[in-house]
Amino acid sequence: MSPSQTKSSTHNMKELEISVVVPVYNRSEYLKESLDSILQQSLPPEEIVVIDDGSTDDSWDIIKSYKEKLKPLRIPNSGAGNARKVGVEKTSYPWIAFCDSDDIWLPDHLERRVKLLSKYPETNFSFSDMIPFGPAALSDRTYFNDAPPNWWENLGQQDTNGFFNIQNNPYKKFLSFNPVATPTIVMTRELYDQAGGINSKYSRMPAEDADLTRKAIAIGNVCCDTKVTAKQRRHEQNMSSIEAENFLGKLQILEDHIQHNLTPKECIQDTIKAIKATKNLAVLSAFYKRQYSLKTALSKHIELSDLPFSTKLRFLYLKILGTLK
């Protein structure tokens, strides 16, 4: 669907029935805590679709132990993005929520979301703040805290409940900072389909979930809850902790969206600027973290002419050392 098409109309609040999609790959250590956090919601979902993405540990046994409480399916390993896609296709209800198999929902996560959707019934895409925890997390930091100065203030004003009805071209604003963590998304299945769903092309790529987010906010009615309603576990296996690879993922998605006419026309020039800035950040991140093995991936998307002079030198240094190592 083109970004220029009409946004979805107001939904019928009687249809606020939610399916949760949980992709799982080798998460036996954390999976039970995650599933229990969904089942123990103050306002439980109608169904929980769990897709085991070819786990080789005890994850499938844990899933089966929940019996009729879950709607399970096991597939050959194909990456988190494709597992989510398969999960969505197995859902039965008008609303979709996502939770990753190592993350945790706070008990009022869905209850607050239903309250938000009741107040802003035109909404078809929503998210909330999320706090990292675990050995790799920074203390007292949330997703929303990482926004650039005045980013939220320039977006609008939250109401007394802490809800934020985002009307001021979120696609453009989200180019500089993306506050959407997938385990906090609640959206309509209708919008999911209109946006083209999850693209399996990005399934194994860091930042793969940003593809769906950017497509959805381009055509959807967006609201968020500024309260922390979920927790993201930060550990060595987190794809989201790989900074340079995340920049490369963002870069590929933004370039693909322009190529396939998924970028709103009024945001194309801003997206081109964001692509240039992201190229610079990807090189600098790889350089300072000495990730010489990324030289081939960086070279695939970045030319020296794309970079300011100081970054050109660092890129050349990366290429030379990457060849020698």
Side-chain angles (χ1 to χ4, degrees):
M1 178 176 179
S2 167
S4 62
Q5 286 183 257
T6 304
K7 295 187 177 186
S8 297
S9 59
T10 300
H11 52 261
N12 182 349
M13 295 309 299
K14 292 181 180 179
E15 297 178 352
L16 245 176
E17 298 171 309
I18 301 173
S19 298
V20 184
V21 176
V22 185
V24 180
Y25 178 68
N26 288 352
R27 283 289 185 261
S28 60
E29 184 178 358
Y30 310 122
L31 179 57
K32 189 176 187 305
E33 188 176 8
S34 179
L35 293 175
D36 286 348
S37 78
I38 302 171
L39 287 164
Q40 293 166 7
Q41 287 292 294
S42 56
L43 185 65
E46 270 60 43
E47 68 177 357
I48 305 170
V49 180
V50 183
I51 305 298
D52 186 324
D53 189 30
S55 295
T56 57
D57 64 0
D58 296 331
S59 292
W60 183 242
D61 292 332
I62 293 171
I63 294 167
K64 289 192 298 181
S65 73
Y66 283 83
K67 298 181 180 179
E68 73 281 354
K69 294 179 181 179
L70 308 178
K71 187 175 179 180
L73 179 66
R74 199 173 197 186
I75 62 173
N77 180 258
S78 56
N82 189 63
R84 282 195 197 94
K85 178 182 174 69
V86 172
V88 172
E89 291 167 355
K90 297 295 180 181
T91 60
S92 309
Y93 294 93
W95 289 84
I96 305 164
F98 298 99
C99 187
D100 286 346
S101 56
D102 53 352
D103 295 334
I104 297 170
W105 280 357
L106 299 184
D108 62 348
H109 175 71
L110 291 182
E111 183 177 358
R112 281 189 62 86
R113 195 59 54 86
V114 170
K115 184 176 180 180
L116 179 153
L117 296 169
S118 299
K119 183 168 183 180
Y120 300 104
E122 74 283 1
T123 302
N124 52 16
F125 184 92
S126 65
F127 61 99
S128 61
D129 202 358
M130 189 174 188
I131 189 167
F133 75 105
L138 297 175
S139 60
D140 301 322
R141 298 293 298 175
T142 76
Y143 261 65
F144 289 7
N145 289 153
D146 290 333
N150 300 317
W151 191 89
W152 286 103
E153 290 79 357
N154 292 333
L155 203 61
Q157 183 66 45
Q158 62 178 288
D159 66 21
T160 55
N161 295 303
F163 302 149
F164 212 121
N165 191 12
I166 304 173
Q167 298 293 333
N168 186 20
N169 195 351
Y171 192 97
K172 180 178 178 180
K173 292 293 294 184
F174 283 28
L175 289 170
S176 61
F177 172 68
N178 180 4
V180 181
T182 298
T184 74
I185 292 174
V186 178
M187 66 187 298
T188 63
R189 175 63 186 271
E190 179 186 22
L191 177 63
Y192 176 90
D193 291 335
Q194 289 174 344
I198 292 169
N199 189 339
S200 296
K201 169 184 178 180
Y202 308 117
S203 187
R204 299 185 187 276
M205 186 180 77
E208 48 84 18
D209 48 346
D211 168 60
L212 177 61
T213 293
R214 295 190 188 281
K215 291 187 297 188
I217 65 173
I219 61 174
N221 296 306
V222 184
C223 275
C224 77
D225 185 352
T226 61
K227 183 179 183 291
V228 171
T229 67
K231 298 168 66 176
Q232 183 194 49
R233 194 185 304 269
R234 288 291 179 91
H235 49 80
E236 292 180 355
Q237 299 173 0
N238 276 115
M239 293 183 75
S240 58
S241 66
I242 311 171
E243 185 180 67
E245 288 92 329
N246 273 300
F247 285 132
L248 283 171
K250 176 182 178 179
L251 179 60
Q252 183 175 347
I253 289 168
L254 292 179
E255 289 177 334
D256 286 352
H257 283 194
I258 288 180
Q259 180 181 353
H260 297 294
N261 298 316
L262 296 171
T263 306
K265 291 181 180 179
E266 67 273 17
C267 296
I268 289 177
Q269 290 306 313
D270 291 293
T271 303
I272 291 171
K273 291 178 183 178
I275 287 171
K276 185 174 181 180
T278 304
K279 289 179 178 181
N280 187 56
L281 290 170
V283 172
L284 291 177
S285 177
F287 173 80
Y288 286 115
K289 295 187 177 182
R290 300 181 181 182
Q291 293 176 293
Y292 307 118
S293 61
L294 290 180
K295 74 175 186 69
T296 300
L298 291 165
S299 298
K300 182 178 178 180
H301 293 279
I302 303 171
E303 302 286 344
L304 280 176
S305 57
D306 297 325
L307 304 170
F309 180 74
S310 60
T311 308
K312 286 180 182 179
L313 296 178
R314 290 169 171 80
F315 195 22
L316 288 171
Y317 184 81
L318 271 173
K319 285 186 170 184
I320 292 169
L321 282 186
T323 301
L324 294 176
K325 288 183 179 291

